[in-house]
Amino acid sequence: MSDEQNSSAVLQLDDSEANWSRVAPIAMAYFFIKGLYLFVTNGLLYMLPVLVLQRDKILEHPIILGLVVIGIILFFLVMSVLRYFFYFYRLSGERVEVRHGVFKKSHLDLPFNKIQNVKIEQPFYYRYHKYATVELETAGSASQEAKIVALKLDVAEAFKRKILNIQDKQSSTSATATANSDNSTSTHHSDDEVVLNTRSIVDLVIHGITNNRVWIFLGAAAPFYQTIAEDIGDILLSFGFDIAAFLDFESLSMGMFLLHALSLVMIIMLLLVSLSVIASIFVFYNYQLSKHGDRYIRRSGLITKQEVSMKASRIQVATQQQDWLDIVIDRANVRLEQNSSGVPTANQAGQLSSPSKLIVPSVTRKESDFIIGDVFGVESLNAMHFTPVSKRLMLRYLIWPVGPILLILLAAFIAINPTLTGWLAYLGICCFVSFLAFMRWYRWGYCITEDYICVRRGMLGVDLSIFPKRKLQQAKFKQTIFMQKHQLASINFVLASGGQSIPYIPAQTVAEIIDESLLLVERDKPAWM
């Protein structure tokens, strides 16, 4: 099918009996790369321990290894061709249908008014010929999401506008009523797109430094440290650098040994931070958060360009996140969350570019207040007065889980008959863990206004979350026997985007929050979907 025919098939959405259409042949590249990616992340990573242990035996048979690699590539090439020939889509009236599958057939029929998010993504191999994928996300199960994998970019943009226009027409009556009764919605209704925030390279570098998640990978790679160290040592030795001699304690003075060790640690830290910075730039390059009518639009990406559109009425909670380093340099990440789409996969949950969230990286607190204020109409989240939770929560942390941990460590110290230095180390551990328990209590706080509930939490860092009472789906009163004796309780809030909680506050306050929130929802019956 030619590009003109492809465009015509997509743009003629008023035909109630549109024909099934096939995506562009470049979709085979998408299926091939996606298949290899899933194979590596969901299959090869789980086999990695076995492959590392059997590395020598595998390398003894390079021909067999080469044939296996070629076989895997050929398999995914054949599957990508078959998936292309069995992939069809149809746009008729106000719904999109996708039919795909080689061995397991799937037929998805999705009305436009059920679509929560429209995400346009341009992988690097699509950009030269100006193709894109269109992801349609719903508020239901993740299996009910649709994806059209290879459309011309202008066709994808026209398709997105068509869906958003239909949604706006269908929700205009309820949206007008909600806007009149809810002062938290934005008053800006210009047809022009307004840029709310952009991020420079410097901002992305700061974000990569302050949000370094490479330590998670290092923890997962712990069983292979010895093998990795030997391989790195062999590579460095081939370049004439003997790391064993560089860190030879017997041939160096104490000062030189510490200097060498410190320099090596600094080099490793620099490499790890560099990886985090590179990842941040790849995801958030040329970042722009803009607003068009009542929709927020995020555009970013260096290799793969992404565009995500989110309706303001579907934003459930706004969170300002600060790690300890963010606090030091006065930066924060803003996260706007909408209705969850089923249970996220492990991969999606860790992605900063998730289509169910709008993330603004490394902003100042002033910029954070501006963005959250535009979403919910509050003046300043950072200027709110938060009421601390009961100090008995710190006692609960000391009883569990801090107490058992310290007792196990004490038993271990007694068993090995420690010296004075060992006991001092144990005392230091006790002080540090107790400090963490104190900080965990200290960070908890809450602020209840007429229309909003704000929650503060954290440990070394601090997160501030705010959500409207009218977004509540459930509010749970929780009280243990220990808490009942002291007239305390915890409250769990259930939103379409997930849960929020406030522990160890007066039971009467919990009852009042629940009564006021549910009364507001029952009285106004807001049409926030």
Side-chain angles (χ1 to χ4, degrees), residues 242-256:
D242 189 353
I243 191 172
F246 185 73
L247 295 176
D248 188 358
F249 180 77
E250 295 180 355
S251 62
L252 297 173
S253 65
M254 177 61 71
M256 289 300 298

Side-chain angles (χ1 to χ4, degrees), residues 200-243:
S200 66
I201 293 294
V202 174
D203 295 323
L204 301 186
V205 170
I206 294 174
H207 178 265
I209 294 173
T210 58
N211 294 266
N212 193 346
R213 296 294 182 267
V214 180
W215 302 110
I216 299 175
F217 170 78
L218 291 180
F224 316 114
Y225 279 171
Q226 182 175 355
T227 303
I228 294 173
E230 292 175 355
D231 292 340
I232 293 176
D234 293 339
I235 294 173
L236 293 177
L237 190 60
S238 65
F239 287 96
F241 179 77
D242 189 353
I243 191 172

Side-chain angles (χ1 to χ4, degrees), residues 149-405:
V149 298
L151 294 177
K152 275 291 188 178
L153 182 59
D154 57 344
V155 176
E157 293 284 355
F159 181 33
K160 181 193 73 172
R161 288 193 297 269
K162 181 68 175 178
I163 293 175
L164 299 184
N165 289 338
I166 289 175
Q167 287 182 340
D168 291 341
K169 290 178 182 178
Q170 291 179 341
S171 61
S172 59
T173 303
S174 58
T176 302
T178 303
N180 291 334
S181 60
D182 180 16
N183 59 9
S184 67
T185 55
S186 175
T187 58
H188 176 72
H189 298 285
S190 172
D191 291 334
D192 298 329
E193 188 171 306
V194 178
V195 177
L196 300 179
N197 192 275
T198 59
R199 298 285 84 198
S200 66
I201 293 294
V202 174
D203 295 323
L204 301 186
V205 170
I206 294 174
H207 178 265
I209 294 173
T210 58
N211 294 266
N212 193 346
R213 296 294 182 267
V214 180
W215 302 110
I216 299 175
F217 170 78
L218 291 180
F224 316 114
Y225 279 171
Q226 182 175 355
T227 303
I228 294 173
E230 292 175 355
D231 292 340
I232 293 176
D234 293 339
I235 294 173
L236 293 177
L237 190 60
S238 65
F239 287 96
F241 179 77
D242 189 353
I243 191 172
F246 185 73
L247 295 176
D248 188 358
F249 180 77
E250 295 180 355
S251 62
L252 297 173
S253 65
M254 177 61 71
M256 289 300 298
F257 174 79
L258 292 177
L259 182 61
H260 285 191
L262 181 60
S263 62
L264 187 61
V265 170
M266 293 298 293
I267 292 173
I268 295 174
M269 289 289 295
L270 180 61
L271 291 174
L272 296 179
V273 172
S274 298
L275 290 176
S276 182
V277 170
I278 292 172
S280 175
I281 293 175
F282 270 41
V283 174
F284 294 117
Y285 178 77
N286 203 23
Y287 183 95
Q288 183 184 87
L289 177 67
S290 58
K291 187 176 182 181
H292 185 273
D294 66 340
R295 293 184 181 277
Y296 292 93
I297 304 168
R298 186 208 77 200
R299 297 183 180 91
S300 65
L302 179 61
I303 303 263
T304 299
K305 290 186 176 181
Q306 295 182 345
E307 177 181 321
V308 178
S309 175
M310 181 182 294
K311 199 170 184 179
S313 62
R314 287 177 174 156
I315 297 178
Q316 306 295 304
V317 59
T319 302
Q320 175 186 287
Q321 295 179 309
Q322 286 185 294
D323 290 338
W324 67 270
L325 189 54
D326 287 315
I327 296 176
V328 172
I329 63 176
D330 197 25
R331 291 284 181 140
N333 299 317
V334 175
R335 190 177 73 232
L336 309 177
E337 298 185 44
Q338 63 173 1
N339 311 342
S340 297
S341 178
V343 179
T345 63
N347 186 39
Q348 182 185 21
Q351 286 185 346
L352 294 176
S353 57
S354 170
S356 61
K357 299 179 178 65
L358 288 184
I359 296 178
V360 191
S362 194
V363 296
T364 63
R365 287 196 292 178
K366 183 178 180 180
E367 291 173 320
S368 172
D369 283 337
F370 171 75
I371 294 170
I372 296 176
D374 189 85
V375 174
F376 287 143
V378 294
E379 291 185 3
S380 174
L381 181 62
N382 289 281
M384 289 184 175
H385 174 71
F386 288 86
T387 304
V389 300
S390 172
K391 294 180 181 178
R392 296 187 181 276
L393 178 62
M394 183 169 51
L395 178 61
R396 204 275 289 171
Y397 286 145
L398 292 175
I399 296 174
W400 176 265
V402 172
I405 294 175

Side-chain angles (χ1 to χ4, degrees), residues 374-446:
D374 189 85
V375 174
F376 287 143
V378 294
E379 291 185 3
S380 174
L381 181 62
N382 289 281
M384 289 184 175
H385 174 71
F386 288 86
T387 304
V389 300
S390 172
K391 294 180 181 178
R392 296 187 181 276
L393 178 62
M394 183 169 51
L395 178 61
R396 204 275 289 171
Y397 286 145
L398 292 175
I399 296 174
W400 176 265
V402 172
I405 294 175
L406 294 181
L407 288 176
I408 293 173
L409 288 176
L410 178 61
F413 270 92
I414 294 176
I416 62 176
N417 192 21
T419 61
L420 177 61
T421 304
W423 283 112
L424 290 176
Y426 176 74
L427 180 62
I429 293 173
C430 291
C431 293
F432 178 72
V433 174
S434 299
F435 170 75
L436 293 181
F438 168 79
M439 290 302 299
R440 181 63 172 165
W441 161 79
Y442 179 76
R443 293 300 190 195
W444 275 112
Y446 63 97

Side-chain angles (χ1 to χ4, degrees), residues 8-44:
S8 176
V10 174
L11 295 178
Q12 291 177 356
L13 299 179
D14 295 331
D15 297 337
S16 59
E17 298 295 336
N19 295 323
W20 287 97
S21 302
R22 180 175 278 135
V23 294
I26 199 172
M28 287 184 282
Y30 175 86
F31 289 134
F32 176 73
I33 294 176
K34 191 73 172 178
L36 279 180
Y37 174 77
L38 292 176
F39 171 73
V40 172
T41 55
N42 295 335
L44 197 59

